[in-house]
Amino acid sequence: MDKKKVAVPLVCHGHSRPVVDLFYSPVTPDGFFLISASKDSSPMLRNGETGDWIGTFEGHKGAVWSCCLDTNALRAASASADFTAKLWDALTGDELHSFDHKHIVRACAFSEDTHLLLTGGMEKILRIFDLNRPDAPPREVDSSPGSIRTVAWLHSDQTILSSCTDIGGVRLWDIRSGKVVQTLETKSPVTSAEVSVDGRYITTADGSAVKFWDANHFGLVKSYNMPCNVESASLEPKLGNKFVAGGEDMWIHIFDFNTGEQIGMYF
């Protein structure tokens, strides 16, 4: 099916509440895409190259704290204050499955092979759902030191990254043992952590700064103070020469990766 010819439900042309998560897809045959989550309950899909709005996923009944696209940008996932994580068809906007939780879900991430969905939230439990068997009970890792704010996969799905709402740092979990093997130290709680498409960088946001870490040796590579409070940041996947950040002002700001200078914005 030609992705460009499929109609996606069009609902609104901008978030009406603070932007709390941003995620670039890998580059696909149809280009790359940017999905954003907001407290307005409606994740939004855009063309990653131009920022043009494609459509909005409707169905959550509470703030959406996290969103992501799978490797081929064919499916989206979202995590919400309505105690669910949802799986969506990114071509049509249809809801494919809803994963019930017992409390607010703050984070979600597709595995690199697209077969697994990782979630986390107020329950302090990392859950791994098998998307080939969506009704099956998930695998659980329940030793997080606090409520979970963000999650990501690293090293060909062998490692999980997570941060906590009220505790600084990003923890790296070995998927086999369920134990923390490394911590990226930060003074403030990290509200966003993702791995770049080329696997080189871990991008984090902690409100006042966006940082880029070496994804293999875990040293800090770049740190930029933001002109506004930000909740999330994502590195552009095609050239890696810019990144986006969003937060309380409801705008998506675009920055130069090499200098940290703001070069544009989406609304």
Side-chain angles (χ1 to χ4, degrees):
M1 184 180 293
D2 187 343
K3 188 169 187 174
K4 297 178 182 178
K5 296 180 181 178
V6 177
V8 178
L10 304 182
V11 180
C12 64
H13 187 47
H15 288 298
S16 59
R17 300 285 305 280
V19 175
V20 291
D21 198 22
L22 294 165
F23 183 92
Y24 273 117
S25 78
V27 178
T28 76
D30 293 312
F32 61 97
F33 302 86
L34 175 66
I35 189 170
S36 56
S38 167
K39 293 180 183 179
D40 64 12
S41 81
S42 300
M44 184 178 297
L45 186 67
R46 297 174 183 268
N47 180 298
E49 193 93 52
T50 64
D52 290 342
W53 174 58
I54 296 173
T56 302
F57 300 98
E58 289 288 298
H60 279 297
K61 298 178 180 179
V64 175
W65 285 99
S66 179
C67 58
C68 57
L69 293 161
D70 69 11
T71 303
N72 300 309
L74 297 177
R75 293 176 300 179
S78 54
S80 174
D82 65 9
F83 294 15
T84 70
K86 291 186 183 293
L87 180 68
W88 309 86
D89 185 318
L91 302 184
T92 66
D94 292 336
E95 181 181 316
L96 299 176
H97 197 83
S98 185
F99 300 96
D100 292 332
H101 293 63
K102 296 178 181 178
H103 212 310
I104 293 169
V105 193
R106 285 272 183 112
C108 61
F110 286 103
S111 59
E112 184 179 329
D113 67 10
T114 74
H115 296 314
L116 305 174
L117 181 68
L118 172 65
T119 69
M122 297 294 286
E123 294 178 84
K124 305 180 184 180
I125 298 172
L126 293 165
R127 288 186 172 90
I128 302 171
F129 294 91
D130 184 344
L131 297 180
N132 296 314
R133 300 185 303 133
D135 293 315
R139 176 183 172 185
E140 296 185 352
V141 179
D142 61 1
S143 51
S144 174
S147 63
I148 298 164
R149 178 63 183 88
T150 186
V151 296
W153 297 86
L154 180 65
H155 297 156
S156 301
D157 303 331
Q158 297 303 303
T159 305
I160 289 172
L161 308 183
S162 74
S163 69
C164 295
T165 304
D166 300 314
I167 304 170
V170 177
R171 284 149 207 88
L172 282 69
W173 303 77
D174 182 276
I175 191 67
R176 292 159 293 187
S177 67
K179 304 295 184 183
V180 175
V181 295
Q182 179 86 26
T183 300
L184 307 182
E185 300 291 349
T186 65
K187 292 183 179 179
S188 303
V190 170
T191 55
S192 169
E194 71 163 38
V195 180
S196 62
V197 170
D198 61 11
R200 293 180 61 192
Y201 300 108
I202 297 169
T203 306
T204 64
D206 61 13
S208 61
V210 172
K211 298 181 175 69
F212 297 92
W213 310 76
D214 187 299
N216 295 297
H217 303 289
F218 308 116
L220 183 61
V221 178
K222 295 179 182 289
S223 179
Y224 296 123
N225 290 324
M226 294 288 98
C228 57
N229 190 58
V230 299
E231 289 276 351
S232 182
S234 186
L235 183 63
E236 188 266 354
K238 187 175 183 180
L239 300 175
N241 59 356
K242 61 184 178 181
F243 65 94
V244 292
E248 293 178 353
D249 65 359
M250 296 178 283
W251 291 76
I252 298 173
H253 301 262
I254 311 166
F255 298 90
D256 185 285
F257 173 74
N258 295 303
T259 67
E261 177 184 0
Q262 182 165 332
I263 56 176
M265 62 177 59
Y266 305 140
F267 61 91

